[in-house]
Amino acid sequence: DAKTTQPPSMDCAEGRAANLPCNHSTISGNEYVYWYRQIHSQGPQYIIHGLKNNETNEMASLIITEDRKSSTLILPHATLRDTAVYYCIVRGTGANSKLTFGKGITLSVRP
Amino acid sequence: DTEVTQTPKHLVMGMTNKKSLKCEQHMGHRAMYWYKQKAKKPPELMFVYSYEKLSINESVPSRFSPECPNSSLLNLHLHALQPEDSALYLCASSQYGTSGYSDTQYFGPGTRLTVL
């Protein structure tokens, strides 16, 4: 079973920040939060991951709450090419390190 | 470079055919994965190879047969498939796999399989 809960869809205006929420209230101490996205009919693309601290890379920022029960993926300046399904995944290590995809959130960026 | 390549991009086969999907990576990763994705569904894990040995088989039917000839190459042999096996087949690789590290998986573009 997926360990995360995401809204089914959201939209944002091009050029604005897109804030994608994810709840993972049962996350355990050694589990990471990963974000992938999948543009229509392509393979999933890795975006970012984190354990406790906030993370930023060239694609996005990941904000994890102090209790680690939720997180937010931030695309700072959304473009039309960011329209995709975004998957928030909680993943452990070792034998528990499988990526189990939930339903994800469909982000639609409007002009 | 985080590229995983898959061939062919599209494949149409009959239920009596035998075909193979190929996946390749040159990132020095030691774990490779096969996923299946049905239309409008999330990807589902099928197999994991770690250091060229099959480490996870998610109860996949025997008509799907994986093979890892070396650490850079992963094949999926298909035989006697059913129309419901039509899907996008995705390959991924990661540096360590299930050896105790939470390492990032990088996906290929997938092979779109249609079984007639």
Side-chain angles (χ1 to χ4, degrees), chain A residues 30-32 34 36 38 40-46 49 87 91-104, chain B residues 33 35 37 41-45 48 56 58 88 90 94 97-110 112:
Chain A
N30 64 348
E31 290 183 317
Y32 289 76
Y34 274 78
Y36 282 79
Q38 189 171 25
H40 182 62
S41 294
Q42 298 181 21
Q45 178 187 22
Y46 165 75
H49 74 281
Y87 296 101
R91 181 172 179 229
T93 60
N96 298 315
S97 65
K98 294 188 289 185
L99 271 182
T100 302
F101 288 80
K103 295 180 180 179
Chain B
Y33 310 75
Y35 288 81
Q37 186 174 24
K41 298 289 187 181
E44 294 180 339
L45 183 66
V48 180
I56 295 176
E58 293 286 284
L88 181 68
L90 295 159
S94 68
T98 56
S99 62
Y101 297 90
S102 182
D103 57 331
T104 301
Q105 291 183 27
Y106 297 94
F107 285 80
R112 177 76 58 190

Side-chain angles (χ1 to χ4, degrees), chain A residues 4-110:
Chain A
T4 63
T5 303
Q6 300 177 258
S9 63
M10 67 176 289
D11 63 17
C12 76
E14 190 176 19
R16 304 297 294 269
N19 297 308
L20 287 72
C22 181
N23 286 324
H24 30 79
S25 58
T26 61
I27 193 169
S28 59
N30 64 348
E31 290 183 317
Y32 289 76
V33 179
Y34 274 78
W35 283 84
Y36 282 79
R37 72 179 182 184
Q38 189 171 25
I39 298 169
H40 182 62
S41 294
Q42 298 181 21
Q45 178 187 22
Y46 165 75
I47 301 173
I48 199 166
H49 74 281
L51 184 63
K52 297 180 182 178
N53 300 321
N54 298 336
E55 302 288 344
T56 295
N57 63 21
E58 64 277 6
M59 288 184 67
S61 295
L62 174 60
I63 308 299
I64 303 174
T65 58
E66 193 168 341
D67 63 6
R68 303 212 319 126
K69 293 185 176 182
S70 66
S71 60
T72 301
L73 179 73
I74 301 173
L75 307 178
H77 305 287
T79 71
L80 298 179
R81 288 181 295 181
D82 292 322
T83 293
V85 178
Y86 287 77
Y87 296 101
C88 170
I89 302 167
V90 167
R91 181 172 179 229
T93 60
N96 298 315
S97 65
K98 294 188 289 185
L99 271 182
T100 302
F101 288 80
K103 295 180 180 179
I105 178 172
T106 299
L107 173 68
S108 300
V109 180
R110 60 181 188 277

